[in-house]
Amino acid sequence: LVSYLLVLLTFPFSLFFCFKVVNEFERAVIFRLGRLVEGGPKGPGMFFILPCIDKYVKIDLRTLSFDVPPQEVLSKDSVTVTVDAVVYYRIHDPIIAVNNVANVHHSTKLLSQTTLRNVLGLKSLADMLTDRDGISGSMAASLDHATDAWGVKVERVEVKD
């Protein structure tokens, strides 16, 4: 009530603080006094927030990618191999991505590093060299299953070296 009154008293200036715009590829998750606002994520377009009462988080829905840093992996036949990869992912549920994990991008990156080591640790050196597509598919399926609870969809994984 006080916030609405403040908006009305400072009407011309409050327009700059009350109306927010998100692009076609973004969604805004709004919290009012720490609680999630009903109606799901807002956007694309313009939406209304109450200054000092509402907080919002913009989430990018485009496909993002990152390089998995080189990992030293001990293969099944006790050979040490350095392998890196590229992971392509997108956020498919902004509310879950904001509420279920503190930093969805960093968490996905760390999980991909450990998944790369785990998947390759079960393979011999010959399997690593000949079955890159199988390794990529296995890693993508494992990552996608694990990150589904975070609102993330892993689209593709490519093992580089």
Side-chain angles (χ1 to χ4, degrees), residues 69-131:
Q71 303 291 313
E72 286 194 3
V73 179
L74 186 63
S75 68
K76 191 175 181 179
D77 51 355
S78 300
V79 177
T80 303
V81 181
T82 302
V83 181
D84 57 344
V86 179
V87 176
Y88 299 91
Y89 70 101
R90 64 181 173 81
I91 295 176
H92 69 85
D93 193 338
I95 291 176
I96 293 175
V98 170
N99 283 334
N100 287 6
V101 66
N103 186 340
V104 69
H105 303 294
H106 186 66
S107 298
T108 304
K109 187 172 186 175
L110 290 177
L111 184 64
S112 66
Q113 290 176 6
T114 59
T115 304
L116 179 64
R117 282 194 301 267
N118 291 341
V119 167
L120 291 177
L122 301 174
K123 304 282 185 183
S124 67
L125 181 61
D127 291 340
M128 285 184 209
L129 295 174
T130 58
D131 191 27

